[in-house]
Amino acid sequence: FAHFKELYLAELEQNPAVAEFLKKVKNEPVVTLLYAAKDEHCNHAMILRDFLQSKVHWNFGTKRTDSCILKQM
């Protein structure tokens, strides 16, 4: 999974669509990411959530540790 994470983050960093997406969601109070992985703790949505948080710097206080709601399909 570590290798996948490394490749996925590199892909996100180089994807021009990411900047456009960040512009659209940076002022949203909640961003919902849907995923269909069986492992709810080790999947691309978790990587994407952390990536988005690092770029937008969402802050939801001390009780909420994630800025994106992850919903398993």
Side-chain angles (χ1 to χ4, degrees):
F1 185 76
H3 182 65
F4 167 76
K5 181 178 179 179
E6 180 181 324
L7 293 175
Y8 187 45
L9 288 172
E11 181 181 336
L12 289 170
E13 288 288 351
Q14 295 184 11
N15 188 332
V18 170
E20 197 61 35
F21 177 76
L22 289 171
K23 286 180 191 176
K24 291 180 180 182
V25 301
K26 70 180 181 180
N27 295 319
E28 295 297 325
V30 174
V31 174
T32 302
L33 303 175
L34 300 176
Y35 66 97
K38 290 181 181 179
D39 187 337
E40 61 186 73
H41 301 289
C42 190
N43 61 64
H44 74 283
M46 301 297 278
I47 299 168
L48 182 56
R49 181 201 63 197
D50 294 344
F51 175 81
L52 294 173
Q53 283 180 318
S54 74
K55 298 297 180 186
V56 178
H57 306 291
W58 281 303
N59 183 4
F60 286 92
T62 56
K63 289 188 177 182
R64 185 168 179 168
T65 59
D66 61 335
S67 63
C68 300
I69 296 173
L70 298 174
K71 298 213 179 205
Q72 188 173 23
M73 294 176 60

